[in-house]
Amino acid sequence: MQSGQRAFSSTSMQACVSERLLTLTSYDENNRKIQEYEQKLAGFREDQKQEEAYQATLTEKIDTLQNTMQILDTELDTIKTTIFDLDMEIFQMENTIAQQEIEIEKGMQEFKLRLRAMYINGNDSLASALVGATDFYDLLSRYKLISCVAKHDDELVTNLRDELTSYHQNLDRSEEHTSELQSLAYLV
């Protein structure tokens, strides 16, 4: 019996050893799998860190693009306001120019009438007008009349010249505003 117990013990011992070897093998295999999983998780952590860095960079880019859009919207609003202001200035200039054209035409007609009157009456000189005076009062009256006519003629010519100069300046400014408006319209 002892040999049977020994045999049983030896068989059981072998079974125990076998089972122990199997457990150790399973343990080693599990440890190996755990190591593999740890490596995979470490890789995922790296990927997650890269993904988080990518997301952060993408968020910063989006914020920068939104800021740029706000700046461009502000610039666009400024350009639109400038275009409106230039349109109003051009409109006012056109009205001013139209009024100046009427004033110039009126001044030219008056100047033509004055020249015609001088031609019809003859171009008497100051001396001939003064010599024909009958007395001192008549001489002073003629001199005063000639002075008033000369002063009026001088004012007429000066006003006409000033009006023409102003007219041409307004035309130039209107052209500048129009070209500036066209360049701004191109930006919009």
Side-chain angles (χ1 to χ4, degrees), residues 130-151:
L130 294 178
V131 169
T134 55
D135 60 19
F136 185 70
Y137 178 76
D138 190 30
L139 175 76
L140 287 177
S141 295
R142 287 182 184 211
Y143 179 76
K144 178 75 172 165
L145 179 65
I146 291 172
S147 294
C148 286
V149 169
K151 182 179 177 185

mmCIF file of all heavy atoms in Angstrom, residues 130-151:
data_model
loop_
_atom_site.group_PDB
_atom_site.id
_atom_site.type_symbol
_atom_site.label_atom_id
_atom_site.label_comp_id
_atom_site.label_asym_id
_atom_site.label_seq_id
_atom_site.Cartn_x
_atom_site.Cartn_y
_atom_site.Cartn_z
ATOM 1 N N LEU A 130 -13.514 163.470 -69.383
ATOM 2 C CA LEU A 130 -13.296 164.555 -68.443
ATOM 3 C C LEU A 130 -13.214 165.904 -69.162
ATOM 4 O O LEU A 130 -13.633 166.936 -68.624
ATOM 5 C CB LEU A 130 -12.034 164.300 -67.622
ATOM 6 C CG LEU A 130 -12.089 163.098 -66.669
ATOM 7 C CD1 LEU A 130 -10.751 162.939 -65.954
ATOM 8 C CD2 LEU A 130 -13.213 163.227 -65.674
ATOM 9 N N VAL A 131 -12.673 165.908 -70.372
ATOM 10 C CA VAL A 131 -12.533 167.165 -71.120
ATOM 11 C C VAL A 131 -13.904 167.695 -71.520
ATOM 12 O O VAL A 131 -14.131 168.897 -71.572
ATOM 13 C CB VAL A 131 -11.643 166.956 -72.376
ATOM 14 C CG1 VAL A 131 -11.693 168.153 -73.302
ATOM 15 C CG2 VAL A 131 -10.235 166.690 -71.951
ATOM 16 N N GLY A 132 -14.849 166.815 -71.743
ATOM 17 C CA GLY A 132 -16.181 167.246 -72.164
ATOM 18 C C GLY A 132 -17.016 167.775 -71.017
ATOM 19 O O GLY A 132 -18.175 168.169 -71.210
ATOM 20 N N ALA A 133 -16.472 167.839 -69.811
ATOM 21 C CA ALA A 133 -17.229 168.323 -68.661
ATOM 22 C C ALA A 133 -17.429 169.832 -68.776
ATOM 23 O O ALA A 133 -16.556 170.560 -69.213
ATOM 24 C CB ALA A 133 -16.509 167.985 -67.380
ATOM 25 N N THR A 134 -18.618 170.294 -68.347
ATOM 26 C CA THR A 134 -18.942 171.720 -68.453
ATOM 27 C C THR A 134 -18.489 172.514 -67.238
ATOM 28 O O THR A 134 -18.149 173.688 -67.352
ATOM 29 C CB THR A 134 -20.452 171.903 -68.646
ATOM 30 O OG1 THR A 134 -21.144 171.253 -67.597
ATOM 31 C CG2 THR A 134 -20.877 171.387 -69.996
ATOM 32 N N ASP A 135 -18.491 171.889 -66.103
ATOM 33 C CA ASP A 135 -18.020 172.574 -64.902
ATOM 34 C C ASP A 135 -17.341 171.566 -63.974
ATOM 35 O O ASP A 135 -17.231 170.384 -64.284
ATOM 36 C CB ASP A 135 -19.160 173.323 -64.209
ATOM 37 C CG ASP A 135 -20.286 172.409 -63.770
ATOM 38 O OD1 ASP A 135 -20.071 171.179 -63.668
ATOM 39 O OD2 ASP A 135 -21.397 172.922 -63.508
ATOM 40 N N PHE A 136 -16.900 172.079 -62.824
ATOM 41 C CA PHE A 136 -16.149 171.225 -61.898
ATOM 42 C C PHE A 136 -17.027 170.113 -61.348
ATOM 43 O O PHE A 136 -16.598 168.976 -61.212
ATOM 44 C CB PHE A 136 -15.568 172.085 -60.769
ATOM 45 C CG PHE A 136 -14.682 171.315 -59.843
ATOM 46 C CD1 PHE A 136 -13.436 170.851 -60.251
ATOM 47 C CD2 PHE A 136 -15.109 171.022 -58.543
ATOM 48 C CE1 PHE A 136 -12.634 170.135 -59.395
ATOM 49 C CE2 PHE A 136 -14.300 170.288 -57.688
ATOM 50 C CZ PHE A 136 -13.055 169.846 -58.109
ATOM 51 N N TYR A 137 -18.293 170.407 -61.035
ATOM 52 C CA TYR A 137 -19.211 169.391 -60.518
ATOM 53 C C TYR A 137 -19.435 168.316 -61.571
ATOM 54 O O TYR A 137 -19.451 167.128 -61.253
ATOM 55 C CB TYR A 137 -20.535 170.042 -60.114
ATOM 56 C CG TYR A 137 -21.543 169.039 -59.607
ATOM 57 C CD1 TYR A 137 -21.419 168.500 -58.328
ATOM 58 C CD2 TYR A 137 -22.599 168.629 -60.409
ATOM 59 C CE1 TYR A 137 -22.339 167.571 -57.878
ATOM 60 C CE2 TYR A 137 -23.509 167.695 -59.967
ATOM 61 C CZ TYR A 137 -23.379 167.167 -58.685
ATOM 62 O OH TYR A 137 -24.276 166.246 -58.239
ATOM 63 N N ASP A 138 -19.607 168.691 -62.820
ATOM 64 C CA ASP A 138 -19.787 167.740 -63.924
ATOM 65 C C ASP A 138 -18.538 166.873 -64.058
ATOM 66 O O ASP A 138 -18.621 165.663 -64.288
ATOM 67 C CB ASP A 138 -20.070 168.502 -65.219
ATOM 68 C CG ASP A 138 -20.493 167.588 -66.351
ATOM 69 O OD1 ASP A 138 -21.115 166.525 -66.060
ATOM 70 O OD2 ASP A 138 -20.203 167.915 -67.512
ATOM 71 N N LEU A 139 -17.365 167.480 -63.907
ATOM 72 C CA LEU A 139 -16.093 166.746 -63.974
ATOM 73 C C LEU A 139 -16.028 165.699 -62.863
ATOM 74 O O LEU A 139 -15.685 164.539 -63.114
ATOM 75 C CB LEU A 139 -14.921 167.724 -63.864
ATOM 76 C CG LEU A 139 -13.540 167.081 -63.807
ATOM 77 C CD1 LEU A 139 -13.134 166.610 -65.197
ATOM 78 C CD2 LEU A 139 -12.533 168.052 -63.248
ATOM 79 N N LEU A 140 -16.383 166.093 -61.641
ATOM 80 C CA LEU A 140 -16.364 165.141 -60.520
ATOM 81 C C LEU A 140 -17.405 164.032 -60.726
ATOM 82 O O LEU A 140 -17.139 162.861 -60.428
ATOM 83 C CB LEU A 140 -16.620 165.860 -59.196
ATOM 84 C CG LEU A 140 -15.485 166.727 -58.665
ATOM 85 C CD1 LEU A 140 -15.919 167.435 -57.385
ATOM 86 C CD2 LEU A 140 -14.257 165.894 -58.403
ATOM 87 N N SER A 141 -18.547 164.383 -61.240
ATOM 88 C CA SER A 141 -19.597 163.374 -61.481
ATOM 89 C C SER A 141 -19.143 162.370 -62.530
ATOM 90 O O SER A 141 -19.338 161.157 -62.373
ATOM 91 C CB SER A 141 -20.886 164.054 -61.960
ATOM 92 O OG SER A 141 -21.406 164.871 -60.979
ATOM 93 N N ARG A 142 -18.551 162.854 -63.604
ATOM 94 C CA ARG A 142 -18.064 161.953 -64.654
ATOM 95 C C ARG A 142 -16.932 161.063 -64.130
ATOM 96 O O ARG A 142 -16.870 159.883 -64.435
ATOM 97 C CB ARG A 142 -17.591 162.757 -65.870
ATOM 98 C CG ARG A 142 -18.722 163.341 -66.651
ATOM 99 C CD ARG A 142 -18.211 164.081 -67.850
ATOM 100 N NE ARG A 142 -19.302 164.718 -68.548
ATOM 101 C CZ ARG A 142 -19.331 164.916 -69.846
ATOM 102 N NH1 ARG A 142 -18.312 164.530 -70.580
ATOM 103 N NH2 ARG A 142 -20.364 165.510 -70.397
ATOM 104 N N TYR A 143 -16.057 161.694 -63.356
ATOM 105 C CA TYR A 143 -14.942 160.917 -62.783
ATOM 106 C C TYR A 143 -15.483 159.828 -61.852
ATOM 107 O O TYR A 143 -15.033 158.677 -61.893
ATOM 108 C CB TYR A 143 -13.983 161.846 -62.032
ATOM 109 C CG TYR A 143 -12.841 161.090 -61.400
ATOM 110 C CD1 TYR A 143 -11.781 160.626 -62.177
ATOM 111 C CD2 TYR A 143 -12.831 160.823 -60.026
ATOM 112 C CE1 TYR A 143 -10.741 159.924 -61.606
ATOM 113 C CE2 TYR A 143 -11.802 160.120 -59.452
ATOM 114 C CZ TYR A 143 -10.749 159.666 -60.251
ATOM 115 O OH TYR A 143 -9.717 158.967 -59.689
ATOM 116 N N LYS A 144 -16.463 160.186 -61.033
ATOM 117 C CA LYS A 144 -17.067 159.212 -60.108
ATOM 118 C C LYS A 144 -17.760 158.095 -60.886
ATOM 119 O O LYS A 144 -17.633 156.911 -60.545
ATOM 120 C CB LYS A 144 -18.058 159.944 -59.190
ATOM 121 C CG LYS A 144 -18.774 159.081 -58.225
ATOM 122 C CD LYS A 144 -17.855 158.668 -57.100
ATOM 123 C CE LYS A 144 -18.690 157.965 -56.055
ATOM 124 N NZ LYS A 144 -17.884 157.237 -55.110
ATOM 125 N N LEU A 145 -18.472 158.449 -61.939
ATOM 126 C CA LEU A 145 -19.166 157.459 -62.767
ATOM 127 C C LEU A 145 -18.168 156.523 -63.442
ATOM 128 O O LEU A 145 -18.341 155.304 -63.436
ATOM 129 C CB LEU A 145 -20.032 158.164 -63.815
ATOM 130 C CG LEU A 145 -20.789 157.256 -64.766
ATOM 131 C CD1 LEU A 145 -21.829 156.426 -64.005
ATOM 132 C CD2 LEU A 145 -21.471 158.072 -65.861
ATOM 133 N N ILE A 146 -17.109 157.084 -63.987
ATOM 134 C CA ILE A 146 -16.072 156.272 -64.650
ATOM 135 C C ILE A 146 -15.401 155.371 -63.624
ATOM 136 O O ILE A 146 -15.139 154.196 -63.892
ATOM 137 C CB ILE A 146 -15.057 157.172 -65.383
ATOM 138 C CG1 ILE A 146 -15.731 157.845 -66.588
ATOM 139 C CG2 ILE A 146 -13.849 156.372 -65.830
ATOM 140 C CD1 ILE A 146 -14.889 158.903 -67.269
ATOM 141 N N SER A 147 -15.135 155.883 -62.437
ATOM 142 C CA SER A 147 -14.518 155.061 -61.373
ATOM 143 C C SER A 147 -15.425 153.905 -60.966
ATOM 144 O O SER A 147 -14.968 152.769 -60.763
ATOM 145 C CB SER A 147 -14.212 155.907 -60.146
ATOM 146 O OG SER A 147 -13.232 156.857 -60.425
ATOM 147 N N CYS A 148 -16.715 154.179 -60.835
ATOM 148 C CA CYS A 148 -17.674 153.132 -60.451
ATOM 149 C C CYS A 148 -17.765 152.049 -61.531
ATOM 150 O O CYS A 148 -17.798 150.842 -61.225
ATOM 151 C CB CYS A 148 -19.050 153.733 -60.197
ATOM 152 S SG CYS A 148 -19.174 154.639 -58.663
ATOM 153 N N VAL A 149 -17.799 152.493 -62.800
ATOM 154 C CA VAL A 149 -17.868 151.530 -63.897
ATOM 155 C C VAL A 149 -16.593 150.687 -63.933
ATOM 156 O O VAL A 149 -16.641 149.457 -64.086
ATOM 157 C CB VAL A 149 -18.113 152.243 -65.252
ATOM 158 C CG1 VAL A 149 -17.916 151.297 -66.425
ATOM 159 C CG2 VAL A 149 -19.502 152.854 -65.284
ATOM 160 N N ALA A 150 -15.435 151.321 -63.767
ATOM 161 C CA ALA A 150 -14.157 150.600 -63.779
ATOM 162 C C ALA A 150 -14.079 149.631 -62.593
ATOM 163 O O ALA A 150 -13.619 148.489 -62.746
ATOM 164 C CB ALA A 150 -12.996 151.590 -63.738
ATOM 165 N N LYS A 151 -14.543 150.104 -61.434
ATOM 166 C CA LYS A 151 -14.536 149.232 -60.250
ATOM 167 C C LYS A 151 -15.468 148.033 -60.470
ATOM 168 O O LYS A 151 -15.108 146.891 -60.153
ATOM 169 C CB LYS A 151 -14.969 150.017 -59.012
ATOM 170 C CG LYS A 151 -14.942 149.210 -57.733
ATOM 171 C CD LYS A 151 -15.343 150.040 -56.538
ATOM 172 C CE LYS A 151 -15.372 149.176 -55.299
ATOM 173 N NZ LYS A 151 -15.873 149.915 -54.141
#
